[in-house]
Amino acid sequence: MVSGKNDPNTPPIVSLAAGGVAGGIEAFTSYPFEFAKTRVQLRTQKGIPTPRNPFLVVTQVYQNEGLRALYKGCAALVVGSIAKDAVRFVFFDTIKQAFADPQTGTLSPLRNLAAGMTAGVVASITAVTTTERIKTALIDDARNERRFRGGYHATQVIWKEHGLPGLYRGFVGTTLKQASATAFRMGTYNILKDFETTRNIPQNTATNFANGSVAGVVTTLCTQPFDVIKTRSQSAQGASTAEAVKSVLIDYGIRGFWKGTTMRLGRTVFSGGILFTAYEAAVKIINPLYSGVKHTAASEA
């Protein structure tokens, strides 16, 4: 489980499966907020204001382009989130054991953040950068050229035109975002959970959701600049990290690095609660099943 203490009853395979389930649920249920946030962060024509209310963006897209457009890039994000959160949870659960105090089995706040940062880097390399690139390119392409018929077609086109580097466009920004976001999200959640454990506060669905939502707020406010740079880098045409930073400064100045904060908060508050609640629930279901299969296999052997 995601907690400050080692849990020998949650093997890596269970963390992997539960993280994947939680990631898929979280990505699908919160995607309209992600769509709205990405639309706002991409470049628009000068003089055309962009709304801060995510519900207004979603409504406008639905009215002008239909429901299908609103979920453009969703499949790429869901697939990426399944892989991303499976990797993040299994690596975080594994890494935190190495970082834990050998006497108490708990992690200090700094070690919680360090474990989360390490897990975020691994997730960015193995799953996040490529799927985020496809998702962002699809959302951007739907506004203008409409060259991409779907996620698979977008992958083919980007690979043909730019090769593997094209799929890893925005790697620096994505890795910075993932390292910091995972550190703050996982770290904050575990710090809150450790505190509650010492105060004998029961860990139930409501507590898990509240902790996840708080972790989402902290993560968003601390990592928004990296998210803006990542989005600009991964537009349909693509841009280097330096070009992305320059374009944000030209368009909006320093304040531009927090473009889409309201949109992202709408998603992360909700998705943070969903993610950790779904993970804890999935562990409770999968762990006994895995233990039963393992016990049966051992008996037959």
Side-chain angles (χ1 to χ4, degrees):
M1 262 186 199
V2 180
S3 66
K5 297 181 180 181
N6 292 325
D7 186 357
N9 296 319
T10 307
I13 188 65
V14 174
S15 293
L16 185 73
V21 170
I25 293 172
E26 177 267 330
F28 183 79
T29 55
S30 64
Y31 188 75
F33 289 110
E34 175 67 17
F35 180 93
K37 181 269 300 180
T38 303
R39 270 282 178 100
V40 168
Q41 289 176 339
L42 290 165
R43 300 194 84 163
T44 56
Q45 295 180 6
K46 283 284 186 180
I48 299 179
T50 52
R52 294 186 177 183
N53 186 336
F55 295 102
L56 182 56
V57 175
V58 170
T59 300
Q60 289 178 346
V61 172
Y62 175 73
Q63 291 176 340
N64 297 330
E65 303 173 49
L67 181 62
R68 188 172 182 179
L70 188 59
Y71 271 83
K72 195 80 170 179
C74 180
L77 184 67
V78 169
V79 171
S81 294
I82 290 172
K84 172 188 71 177
D85 287 307
V87 169
R88 284 203 301 187
F89 275 104
V90 72
F91 270 91
F92 184 76
D93 280 351
T94 302
I95 293 168
K96 75 181 183 184
Q97 292 180 19
F99 287 7
D101 186 296
Q103 300 294 326
T104 63
T106 60
L107 280 77
S108 66
L110 284 179
R111 290 189 177 189
N112 261 310
L113 294 176
M117 186 175 295
T118 306
V121 171
V122 175
S124 178
I125 295 170
T126 57
V128 181
T129 300
T130 52
T131 53
E132 283 283 327
R133 164 67 162 135
I134 299 303
K135 178 216 72 176
T136 305
L138 283 168
I139 293 175
D140 189 28
D141 179 72
R143 299 186 309 159
N144 302 304
E145 298 182 46
R146 305 193 178 188
R147 292 194 304 156
F148 304 145
R149 295 191 297 269
Y152 180 68
H153 181 244
T155 303
Q156 287 182 310
V157 172
I158 292 172
W159 177 273
K160 183 178 180 180
E161 294 179 352
H162 305 289
L164 185 62
L167 293 175
Y168 272 87
R169 189 69 67 106
F171 173 73
V172 173
T174 302
T175 302
L176 287 171
K177 177 202 168 187
Q178 284 302 311
S180 56
T182 306
F184 284 110
R185 175 171 275 194
M186 298 290 201
T188 300
Y189 183 85
N190 278 268
I191 290 167
L192 289 172
K193 192 168 183 178
D194 284 345
F195 175 80
E196 291 163 355
T197 300
T198 60
R199 299 296 190 280
N200 295 318
I201 298 174
Q203 296 299 302
N204 51 37
T205 300
T207 307
N208 293 336
F209 193 94
N211 290 347
S213 296
V214 172
V217 172
V218 173
T219 301
T220 299
L221 296 178
C222 293
T223 66
Q224 188 64 16
F226 298 135
D227 190 63
V228 173
I229 294 169
K230 174 198 74 67
T231 298
R232 286 293 181 94
S233 297
Q234 295 180 329
S235 62
Q237 296 302 317
S240 68
T241 300
E243 290 169 342
V245 171
K246 183 178 178 181
S247 72
V248 174
L249 289 172
I250 290 173
D251 290 348
Y252 304 110
I254 293 295
R255 293 178 62 183
F257 290 107
W258 275 268
K259 194 78 172 174
T261 297
T262 305
M263 307 285 186
R264 192 170 168 223
L265 274 173
R267 177 176 185 252
T268 53
V269 170
F270 175 67
S271 68
I274 289 290
L275 179 67
F276 288 105
T277 301
Y279 177 80
E280 301 281 8
V283 166
K284 291 178 182 178
I285 295 171
I286 297 171
N287 205 20
L289 294 175
Y290 174 76
S291 299
V293 171
K294 187 177 180 181
H295 177 71
T296 301
S299 299
E300 291 178 352

